[in-house]
Amino acid sequence: MPSANLVLVNDSSATLAASLTSAHYRGELVVDAELAQFTTWRIGGPAQLLASPTDPADLLLALRWARDKGVAWRVLGNGSNLLVRDDGVRGLVLRPRRALDTLQVDGSNVRAGAGASFPTLANLAASRGLSGLEFGAGIPGTVGGAVVMNAGWHEHELSRVVERVTFADRDGETSEVPASACAFGYRTSAFRGRPGIVLGCLLALTPDEPASVRARLDEYATQRRRGQPTELASCGSVFVKPPGDFAGRLIEQAGLKGERRGGIQVSAKHANFFVNLGGGTASDALALIEYVESEVEARLGVRLVREVEVW
Ligand code: FAD
């Protein structure tokens, strides 16, 4: 028998919301919130509870509430590397944009809250003449998502400028994790799949002429617009780069550019981007991903590995 205060995850959304509110949660709470509006692919069914806490204390309160009640929970950044299934997710989705949105510059260091926009951070650094984040202006995630994914562009990666990460574990206990313990790798880190919340990070940037930093940032943005279908909804690269090759090149070589399932299409501009032409669903996207995986393997003998995370 469950203990008296255990709120089962299949309790109705309204019951869960009432329980969290009575635990003195102060932030915004939306019941059965459609997640499509919170993902860059514009795809995704409802979350039972979507919580946007007011400040860090409110965020940790919600986290501890979920632990105490046995409610499943996840963290949503800007939803730019996510495919949320059409039937949505059970339990609590924590969206710490507002709770963790501070950016503080101190000399050549920047302390960045996990909820801040990564492009905003890159632009702030450029305006202060701090180099090291020029690649980030076109990566539409949050700082937290960029840390978890070790966001990067060509030879640039966020890990190169991270000094330490502030992390709250599933009990809400916070710690400072030095970069050497973050296990950064290609599009991964120690925080990927680890229960907890990245609260922020301390970055060490390199002073440079503001005009030079801005010129590099603008050049990367131009390259991106030229090579990627930035005008259409997507999750960025669907697959990680296979060793010594490019997923987009393999998909194109397999003759799959333009392949379409429902509203989702392999972009004619960049074959590793699957764009939502309007009305695309998670089922369409998954069907296309699975088809591309099996065709590339059958025709070229390479098993593509997904970068996009499926919820
Ligand atoms: P989400 O997609 O919301 O979440 C991703 C994962 O991080 C999930 O597991 C989530 O639970 C977790 N997470 C998010 N925030 C936190 C937190 N605070 N604490 C704990 N876990 C958290 N990526 C690149 O690396 N390079 C690129 O050049 C690039 N280009 C892109 C271009 C486009 C047009 C798009 C749409 C995407 C692109 N991406 C790129 C992918 C994406 O923007 C990055 O992976 C980004 O870092 C994801 O951040 P997010 O906040 O959107 O995370």
Side-chain angles (χ1 to χ4, degrees):
M1 283 290 287
S3 63
N5 71 347
L6 186 71
V7 179
L8 294 174
V9 80
N10 61 359
D11 267 12
S12 82
S13 308
T15 309
L16 286 179
S19 170
L20 179 52
T21 307
S22 69
H24 306 294
Y25 170 78
R26 294 170 283 120
E28 199 180 296
L29 199 53
V30 184
V31 169
D32 298 330
E34 289 296 326
L35 291 183
Q37 58 187 310
F38 300 108
T39 68
T40 55
W41 225 345
R42 299 285 172 256
I43 291 175
Q48 257 193 309
L49 273 193
L50 175 67
S52 303
T54 305
D55 52 33
D58 207 27
L59 172 66
L60 297 180
L61 180 145
L63 180 68
R64 294 194 184 105
W65 168 84
R67 175 201 59 187
D68 293 347
K69 304 294 181 187
V71 172
W73 58 273
R74 301 159 189 265
V75 188
L76 175 66
N78 198 39
S80 63
N81 193 49
L82 290 180
L83 174 54
V84 179
R85 290 180 197 274
D86 298 319
D87 53 3
V89 294
R90 306 289 300 170
L92 172 69
V93 172
L94 287 166
R95 188 167 181 264
R97 297 295 311 259
R98 195 157 56 111
L100 303 171
D101 67 352
T102 52
L103 294 173
Q104 282 174 310
V105 181
D106 180 9
S108 56
N109 289 333
V110 181
R111 181 168 284 285
S117 143
F118 196 49
T120 301
L121 167 64
N123 278 289
L124 173 70
S127 69
R128 299 294 179 91
L130 295 173
S131 177
L133 291 171
E134 294 89 319
F135 70 94
I139 300 180
T142 58
V143 169
V147 168
V148 171
M149 295 299 299
N150 187 19
W153 164 255
H154 296 291
E155 71 276 21
H156 308 282
E157 284 184 332
L158 179 61
S159 57
R160 290 191 179 187
V161 295
V162 172
E163 286 283 294
R164 56 179 187 266
V165 171
T166 311
F167 182 72
D169 68 14
R170 67 171 95 202
D171 297 320
E173 297 299 328
T174 62
S175 59
E176 295 287 326
V177 185
S180 58
C182 289
F184 285 119
Y186 174 63
R187 300 297 172 271
T188 192
S189 71
F191 311 105
R192 210 173 171 192
R194 178 154 146 194
I197 305 176
V198 170
L199 300 177
C201 58
L202 179 68
L203 306 172
L205 303 176
T206 307
D208 195 356
E209 283 300 315
S212 309
V213 183
R214 175 63 59 189
R216 281 193 294 275
L217 184 148
D218 289 344
E219 171 55 23
Y220 295 154
T222 304
Q223 286 176 20
R224 201 179 270 279
R225 275 195 301 276
R226 219 179 278 137
Q228 298 179 351
T230 48
E231 67 289 357
L232 290 170
S234 78
C235 67
S237 296
V238 173
F239 301 104
V240 295
K241 192 175 157 333
D245 212 327
F246 294 96
R249 197 197 69 77
L250 292 169
I251 297 167
E252 188 171 350
Q253 195 189 335
L256 299 170
K257 257 192 175 176
E259 190 71 33
R260 182 172 171 176
R261 292 289 176 280
I264 308 293
Q265 185 174 42
V266 176
S267 164
K269 200 166 177 183
H270 189 315
N272 198 18
F273 279 59
F274 293 8
V275 292
N276 188 348
L277 301 172
T281 64
S283 312
D284 296 338
L286 273 173
L288 190 57
I289 289 171
E290 284 164 12
Y291 180 72
V292 167
E293 284 169 343
S294 71
E295 287 300 295
V296 168
E297 188 164 22
R299 294 183 202 187
L300 305 171
V302 179
R303 185 71 194 168
L304 293 173
V305 174
R306 294 178 195 179
E307 179 169 332
V308 65
E309 183 177 318
V310 182
W311 276 13

Short mmCIF file of all heavy atoms in Angstrom, two decimals, residues 211-233:
data_model
loop_
_atom_site.label_atom_id
_atom_site.label_comp_id
_atom_site.label_asym_id
_atom_site.label_seq_id
_atom_site.Cartn_x
_atom_site.Cartn_y
_atom_site.Cartn_z
N ALA A 211 35.05 44.40 -31.57
CA ALA A 211 34.72 44.34 -33.00
C ALA A 211 35.16 43.01 -33.60
O ALA A 211 34.46 42.45 -34.48
CB ALA A 211 35.36 45.50 -33.74
N SER A 212 36.30 42.48 -33.14
CA SER A 212 36.78 41.19 -33.69
C SER A 212 35.87 40.06 -33.23
O SER A 212 35.54 39.16 -34.01
CB SER A 212 38.20 40.89 -33.21
OG SER A 212 39.04 41.95 -33.44
N VAL A 213 35.47 40.09 -31.96
CA VAL A 213 34.60 39.03 -31.44
C VAL A 213 33.27 39.08 -32.22
O VAL A 213 32.76 38.06 -32.68
CB VAL A 213 34.34 39.20 -29.93
CG1 VAL A 213 33.50 38.05 -29.40
CG2 VAL A 213 35.65 39.28 -29.16
N ARG A 214 32.73 40.29 -32.38
CA ARG A 214 31.45 40.46 -33.08
C ARG A 214 31.56 39.98 -34.54
O ARG A 214 30.66 39.34 -35.06
CB ARG A 214 31.05 41.94 -33.02
CG ARG A 214 29.80 42.33 -33.78
CD ARG A 214 28.54 41.68 -33.28
NE ARG A 214 28.26 41.98 -31.88
CZ ARG A 214 27.31 41.39 -31.17
NH1 ARG A 214 26.54 40.47 -31.72
NH2 ARG A 214 27.12 41.69 -29.90
N ALA A 215 32.70 40.27 -35.18
CA ALA A 215 32.86 39.87 -36.59
C ALA A 215 32.84 38.34 -36.70
O ALA A 215 32.23 37.79 -37.62
CB ALA A 215 34.17 40.43 -37.13
N ARG A 216 33.50 37.65 -35.77
CA ARG A 216 33.49 36.18 -35.82
C ARG A 216 32.08 35.65 -35.57
O ARG A 216 31.61 34.74 -36.27
CB ARG A 216 34.46 35.60 -34.77
CG ARG A 216 35.92 35.65 -35.20
CD ARG A 216 36.79 34.79 -34.28
NE ARG A 216 36.84 35.30 -32.91
CZ ARG A 216 37.67 36.25 -32.48
NH1 ARG A 216 38.55 36.80 -33.32
NH2 ARG A 216 37.66 36.65 -31.23
N LEU A 217 31.40 36.22 -34.59
CA LEU A 217 30.03 35.79 -34.28
C LEU A 217 29.13 35.96 -35.53
O LEU A 217 28.38 35.05 -35.90
CB LEU A 217 29.52 36.60 -33.10
CG LEU A 217 28.15 36.27 -32.52
CD1 LEU A 217 28.12 36.54 -31.02
CD2 LEU A 217 27.06 37.07 -33.18
N ASP A 218 29.28 37.12 -36.19
CA ASP A 218 28.45 37.38 -37.37
C ASP A 218 28.80 36.42 -38.50
O ASP A 218 27.91 35.95 -39.23
CB ASP A 218 28.63 38.83 -37.84
CG ASP A 218 28.00 39.83 -36.88
OD1 ASP A 218 27.18 39.39 -36.03
OD2 ASP A 218 28.33 41.03 -36.95
N GLU A 219 30.09 36.13 -38.66
CA GLU A 219 30.52 35.22 -39.73
C GLU A 219 29.95 33.81 -39.52
O GLU A 219 29.45 33.18 -40.44
CB GLU A 219 32.06 35.20 -39.79
CG GLU A 219 32.67 34.14 -40.72
CD GLU A 219 32.15 34.22 -42.17
OE1 GLU A 219 31.69 35.29 -42.58
OE2 GLU A 219 32.20 33.17 -42.86
N TYR A 220 29.99 33.33 -38.26
CA TYR A 220 29.42 32.00 -37.98
C TYR A 220 27.91 31.99 -38.27
O TYR A 220 27.37 31.03 -38.80
CB TYR A 220 29.65 31.58 -36.53
CG TYR A 220 31.12 31.38 -36.16
CD1 TYR A 220 31.54 31.54 -34.84
CD2 TYR A 220 32.07 31.03 -37.12
CE1 TYR A 220 32.88 31.36 -34.49
CE2 TYR A 220 33.40 30.86 -36.77
CZ TYR A 220 33.80 31.03 -35.46
OH TYR A 220 35.11 30.85 -35.11
N ALA A 221 27.24 33.09 -37.90
CA ALA A 221 25.79 33.17 -38.13
C ALA A 221 25.48 33.14 -39.62
O ALA A 221 24.53 32.48 -40.07
CB ALA A 221 25.23 34.43 -37.49
N THR A 222 26.31 33.82 -40.41
CA THR A 222 26.12 33.83 -41.86
C THR A 222 26.31 32.43 -42.44
O THR A 222 25.52 31.95 -43.25
CB THR A 222 27.13 34.81 -42.53
OG1 THR A 222 26.95 36.07 -41.93
CG2 THR A 222 26.91 34.91 -44.02
N GLN A 223 27.38 31.75 -41.97
CA GLN A 223 27.64 30.38 -42.45
C GLN A 223 26.45 29.47 -42.13
O GLN A 223 26.04 28.64 -42.92
CB GLN A 223 28.88 29.80 -41.76
CG GLN A 223 30.19 30.37 -42.25
CD GLN A 223 31.37 29.81 -41.45
OE1 GLN A 223 31.27 28.76 -40.81
NE2 GLN A 223 32.48 30.52 -41.48
N ARG A 224 25.90 29.66 -40.93
CA ARG A 224 24.78 28.83 -40.49
C ARG A 224 23.55 29.07 -41.38
O ARG A 224 22.91 28.12 -41.83
CB ARG A 224 24.46 29.20 -39.03
CG ARG A 224 23.71 28.18 -38.28
CD ARG A 224 23.52 28.70 -36.88
NE ARG A 224 24.59 28.32 -36.00
CZ ARG A 224 24.70 27.13 -35.41
NH1 ARG A 224 23.80 26.20 -35.62
NH2 ARG A 224 25.68 26.87 -34.60
N ARG A 225 23.25 30.34 -41.63
CA ARG A 225 22.08 30.66 -42.47
C ARG A 225 22.25 30.10 -43.88
O ARG A 225 21.30 29.66 -44.50
CB ARG A 225 21.86 32.18 -42.53
CG ARG A 225 21.04 32.71 -41.36
CD ARG A 225 20.55 34.12 -41.63
NE ARG A 225 21.64 35.05 -41.86
CZ ARG A 225 22.32 35.67 -40.88
NH1 ARG A 225 22.00 35.47 -39.62
NH2 ARG A 225 23.30 36.50 -41.16
N ARG A 226 23.51 30.11 -44.36
CA ARG A 226 23.78 29.62 -45.71
C ARG A 226 23.58 28.09 -45.78
O ARG A 226 23.06 27.59 -46.76
CB ARG A 226 25.23 29.96 -46.07
CG ARG A 226 25.40 30.40 -47.51
CD ARG A 226 26.85 30.73 -47.80
NE ARG A 226 27.26 32.06 -47.40
CZ ARG A 226 28.43 32.35 -46.80
NH1 ARG A 226 29.29 31.42 -46.49
NH2 ARG A 226 28.72 33.59 -46.49
N GLY A 227 23.98 27.40 -44.72
CA GLY A 227 24.02 25.93 -44.80
C GLY A 227 22.87 25.20 -44.13
O GLY A 227 22.73 23.99 -44.31
N GLN A 228 22.07 25.91 -43.33
CA GLN A 228 21.01 25.23 -42.57
C GLN A 228 19.65 25.86 -42.85
O GLN A 228 19.56 27.06 -43.10
CB GLN A 228 21.31 25.32 -41.06
CG GLN A 228 22.60 24.66 -40.64
CD GLN A 228 22.85 24.80 -39.14
OE1 GLN A 228 22.14 25.54 -38.43
NE2 GLN A 228 23.88 24.12 -38.66
N PRO A 229 18.59 25.05 -42.75
CA PRO A 229 17.24 25.60 -42.99
C PRO A 229 16.72 26.33 -41.75
O PRO A 229 15.75 25.91 -41.12
CB PRO A 229 16.42 24.33 -43.28
CG PRO A 229 17.11 23.26 -42.49
CD PRO A 229 18.56 23.61 -42.45
N THR A 230 17.39 27.42 -41.38
CA THR A 230 17.09 28.10 -40.11
C THR A 230 15.70 28.74 -40.10
O THR A 230 15.18 29.10 -39.05
CB THR A 230 18.14 29.19 -39.82
OG1 THR A 230 18.30 29.97 -41.00
CG2 THR A 230 19.48 28.60 -39.45
N GLU A 231 15.08 28.86 -41.28
CA GLU A 231 13.76 29.51 -41.35
C GLU A 231 12.63 28.53 -41.01
O GLU A 231 11.48 28.96 -40.85
CB GLU A 231 13.55 30.15 -42.74
CG GLU A 231 13.44 29.19 -43.93
CD GLU A 231 14.76 28.48 -44.33
OE1 GLU A 231 15.82 28.76 -43.74
OE2 GLU A 231 14.70 27.63 -45.23
N LEU A 232 12.95 27.24 -40.90
CA LEU A 232 11.89 26.25 -40.62
C LEU A 232 12.11 25.59 -39.25
O LEU A 232 13.25 25.49 -38.78
CB LEU A 232 11.89 25.16 -41.70
CG LEU A 232 11.41 25.61 -43.09
CD1 LEU A 232 11.70 24.53 -44.13
CD2 LEU A 232 9.92 25.95 -43.07
N ALA A 233 11.02 25.13 -38.64
CA ALA A 233 11.10 24.51 -37.31
C ALA A 233 11.84 23.17 -37.41
O ALA A 233 11.56 22.36 -38.29
CB ALA A 233 9.69 24.28 -36.76
#
